């Protein structure tokens, strides 16, 4: 049986259709596009190249997996989706890890994949895989252009397709959208056609003004409960703040609202290291809870608990929350999904913290914290002071190089305002536990939606690209896992971006040393998996300058050197077994009589 005939098409029609699609996204607010190589995606690539001359910020990457994580970080920075364009086939499968993180982490992301027309599917034709199903489980929605090819659709249909994709990525909860775009051959327009299109674009788009981030659709999450939730600000309670998943601008309003509640109630605030609130002026936080709440602690359970955002990373805090009973209200921001992994919240509200505050009578805010609340808060603040004294005594002066000590000293030494990305596994947990209370405020990022180590270096490159600079703290395995992230080097340098990578080289998976599996058969092979690569020379092969950190007394000078480079790597060799025992020892000291 012969194949159905192809719908008549031309290379020029394909490029024009691709231009209509990308220009429609730009009209909606698209500002950044990451392009991966391919032939089937040639019309989209040519359209992106033409629009890069008209204001579209274009990045190119040869590794689709790395490109998707790079774009993911761009979207996390300001809440505006970045687009990734790939060719057909296995290229699409490489987008799945980033799509999973975007889904769980509520990060907007546009995944635009070229495809063969439907007439070739099921015929044994090259690259006719079922790529339209690859991302289905993670995408907010799957949209497809006409199965006969994008060029067979009219401009209004293409514009509507782009509008639906853009809207779907931003409606709460924000997330990834997969747009699969078939193209019929021929795919490659001539130089004459491209020159004519350049002339047309110059006439049509002058002056080209892209939609700013502030003009992008700001969806409102459905409200699950508008009542104050039975909480009494005149009685003792605790606020627990989980990782922040919004933008920096949204965090400012959130922090001001939290300050309003704290001034009124006097409740202690336990804020996750990824909440973005540590060091925030005007907020009084209990930072040492991960050490305070170790087994055998003497702190009381909270009679009332106001939980804001996703579950915090600390297992000890999670256990304490689970013991606090049912007087718990969980409020989330632009995410109506159930984020109560502990199953303890008597009431959930997805309308956002500020909206919840507005439900209270205006007279509420004219009052001061009750004496009983102030006494309750002193119990927590004095306990936290004990933690800070312990950390100061242990790490206050330069001593042995260890991962807990580095978390403490780096949190104080890095410049205020410098965006920091904490890799999953040990780095994010150590900052949760050992970050100094005297640390200045700075944006803290970690992609904990699915808590993988995928794309760690590419995420850091994306954060640097979105702003001006970034600082990554990573273990050696997470860094090696994303080796192609270094390939963003030339584009970052060409645009004046800066990235410093600080690798904790403990020669394997240090996180497993903290679990009760060390006696397991062949622990090194089955769990730690040390690599023979040396991070410094390995990075030098990509053109990255590097220096070793041999002791804490060198930290200031090595950081000064690294932060002056466009891109640089600092390697700190640590001992994972010794560091695991140090962590356990500090926890034991917190509950010692």
């Amino acid at each position: 049986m012969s194949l159905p005939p192809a719908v008549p098409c031309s290379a020029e029609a394909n490029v024009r259709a691709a231009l209509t699609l990308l220009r429609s996204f730009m009209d909606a607010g698209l500002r950044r596009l990451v392009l991966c190589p391919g032939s089937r995606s040639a019309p989209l690539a040519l359209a992106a190249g033409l629009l890069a001359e008209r204001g579209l910020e274009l990045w190119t990457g040869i590794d689709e997996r790395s490109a998707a994580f790079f774009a993911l970080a761009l979207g996390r920075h300001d809440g505006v989706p970045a687009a990734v364009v790939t060719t057909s086939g296995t290229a699409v499968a490489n987008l799945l890890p980033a799509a999973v993180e975007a889904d769980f982490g509520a990060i907007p992301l546009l995944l635009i994949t070229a495809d063969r027309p439907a007439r070739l599917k099921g015929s044994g034709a090259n690259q006719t895989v079922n790529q339209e199903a690859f991302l289905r489980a993670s995408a907010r929605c799957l949209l497809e252009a006409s199965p006969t090819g994008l060029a067979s659709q009219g401009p209004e249909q293409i514009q509507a397709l782009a509008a639906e994709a853009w809207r779907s990525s931003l409606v709460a909860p924000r997330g990834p959208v997969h747009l699969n775009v078939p193209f019929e051959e021929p795919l490659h327009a001539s130089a004459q056609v491209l020159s004519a299109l350049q002339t047309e674009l110059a006439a049509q788009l002058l002056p080209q003004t892209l939609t700013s981030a502030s003009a992008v659709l700001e969806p409102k999450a459905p409200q699950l409960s508008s009542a104050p939730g039975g909480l009494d600000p005149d009685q003792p309670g605790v606020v627990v703040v989980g990782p922040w998943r919004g933008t920096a601008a949204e965090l400012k309003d959130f922090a001001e609202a939290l300050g309003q509640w704290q001034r009124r109630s006097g409740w202690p605030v336990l804020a996750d290291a990824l909440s973005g609130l540590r060091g925030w002026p005007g907020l009084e936080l209990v930072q040492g809870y991960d050490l305070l709440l170790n087994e055998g602690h003497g702190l009381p359970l909270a009679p009332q608990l106001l939980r804001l955002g996703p579950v915090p990373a600390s297992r000890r805090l999670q256990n304490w929350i689970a013991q606090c009973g049912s007087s718990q209200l969980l409020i989330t921001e632009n995410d109506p999904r159930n984020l109560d992994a502990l199953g303890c919240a008597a009431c959930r509200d997805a309308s956002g913290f500020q909206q919840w505050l507005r439900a209270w009578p205006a007279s509420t805010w004219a009052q001061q914290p009750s004496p009983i609340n102030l006494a309750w808060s002193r119990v927590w603040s004095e306990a936290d002071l004990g933690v800070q004294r312990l950390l100061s005594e242990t790490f206050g002066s330069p001593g042995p190089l260890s991962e807990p000590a580095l978390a403490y000293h780096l949190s104080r030494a890095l410049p205020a305002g410098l965006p920091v990305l904490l890799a999953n596994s040990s780095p994010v947990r150590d900052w949760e536990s050992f970050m100094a209370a005297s640390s200045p405020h700075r944006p803290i990022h970690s992609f904990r939606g699915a808590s993988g180590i995928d794309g760690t270096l590419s995420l850091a490159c994306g954060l640097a690209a979105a702003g001006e600079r970034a600082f990554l703290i990573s273990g050696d395995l997470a860094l090696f896992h994303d080796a192609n992230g270094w390939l963003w080097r030339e584009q970052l340098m060409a645009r004046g971006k800066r990235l410093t990578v600080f690798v904790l080289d403990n020669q394997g998976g240090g996180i497993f040393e903290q679990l009760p599996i060390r006696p397991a058969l062949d622990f090194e092979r089955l769990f730690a998996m040390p690599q023979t690569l040396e991070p410094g020379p390995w990075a030098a092969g990509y053109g990255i300058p590097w220096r070793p950190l041999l002791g804490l007394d060198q930290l200031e000078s090595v950081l000064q050197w690294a932060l002056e480079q466009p891109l640089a790597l600092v390697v700190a060799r640590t001992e994972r077994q010794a560091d695991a025992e140090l962590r356990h020892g500090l926890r034991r000291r917190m509950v010692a009589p």
Side-chain angles (χ1 to χ4, degrees), residues 292-352:
L292 283 172
L293 297 175
N294 197 43
E295 184 178 354
H297 72 83
L299 287 167
L301 298 177
Q304 303 180 93
L305 202 55
L306 175 58
R307 294 165 50 194
L308 304 176
V311 174
S314 169
R315 288 293 181 90
R316 281 154 285 278
L317 179 55
Q318 292 180 25
N319 291 337
W320 179 82
I321 291 172
Q323 296 170 16
C324 283
S326 60
S327 296
Q328 300 184 22
L329 170 63
L330 173 61
I331 301 177
T332 57
E333 307 287 325
N334 285 323
D335 196 339
R337 296 176 294 185
N338 180 15
L339 301 184
D340 185 23
L342 304 176
C344 301
C347 186
R348 291 189 295 119
D349 190 328
S351 64

Side-chain angles (χ1 to χ4, degrees), residues 151-236:
S152 67
Q153 296 184 266
E156 295 81 7
Q157 292 175 303
I158 296 174
Q159 290 164 1
L161 189 66
E164 175 64 13
W166 187 262
R167 186 196 67 81
S168 297
S169 72
L170 287 170
V171 170
R174 300 164 179 162
V177 168
H178 182 194
L179 174 57
N180 198 53
V181 185
F183 285 101
E184 187 63 79
E185 295 184 9
L187 303 169
H188 309 110
S190 67
Q192 292 82 356
V193 167
L194 296 178
S195 178
L197 289 172
Q198 282 178 311
T199 301
E200 287 184 31
L201 284 173
Q204 293 173 9
L205 294 185
L206 280 175
Q208 171 68 19
T209 303
L210 296 181
T211 306
S212 67
S214 61
V216 173
L217 172 66
E218 289 291 344
K220 294 183 178 179
Q223 182 173 306
L224 301 184
S225 170
S226 60
L231 299 183
D232 184 351
D234 291 317
Q235 295 298 316

Side-chain angles (χ1 to χ4, degrees), residues 346-433:
C347 186
R348 291 189 295 119
D349 190 328
S351 64
F353 185 46
Q354 297 170 76
Q355 180 66 28
W356 180 76
L357 287 182
R358 284 192 283 268
W360 290 81
S363 58
T364 303
W365 314 115
Q367 303 175 52
Q368 298 296 314
S370 65
I372 190 174
N373 282 11
L374 293 177
W376 162 265
S377 185
R378 279 195 296 272
V379 171
W380 287 89
S381 60
E382 290 173 2
D384 193 37
L385 285 174
V387 170
Q388 302 310 319
R389 282 194 296 268
L390 171 64
L391 295 179
S392 180
E393 292 168 2
T394 307
F395 305 128
S397 58
L401 202 61
S402 69
E403 293 176 24
L406 284 167
Y408 181 83
H409 285 283
L410 282 171
S411 70
R412 298 198 305 171
L414 293 177
L418 173 65
V420 173
L421 172 60
L422 302 173
N424 284 316
S425 295
S426 292
V428 68
R429 288 174 170 84
D430 281 341
W431 273 60
E432 178 78 358
S433 302

Side-chain angles (χ1 to χ4, degrees), residues 8 35 47 64 109 117 146 195 239 241 247 259 280 401 405 412 442-443 453 475 479 491 511 540 560:
L35 174 68
E64 291 87 2
L109 180 66
S146 170
S195 178
V239 181
V241 187
T247 66
W280 195 281
L401 202 61
R412 298 198 305 171
R442 58 177 70 89
I453 63 170
L479 200 61
Q491 293 181 75
I511 188 65
Q560 182 178 357

Side-chain angles (χ1 to χ4, degrees), residues 15-33:
V15 177
R16 286 187 178 277
L19 272 172
T20 299
L21 181 69
L22 296 187
R23 286 178 64 188
S24 298
F25 277 124
M26 291 174 69
D27 289 342
L30 179 70
R31 295 185 287 121
R32 300 161 303 208
L33 185 144

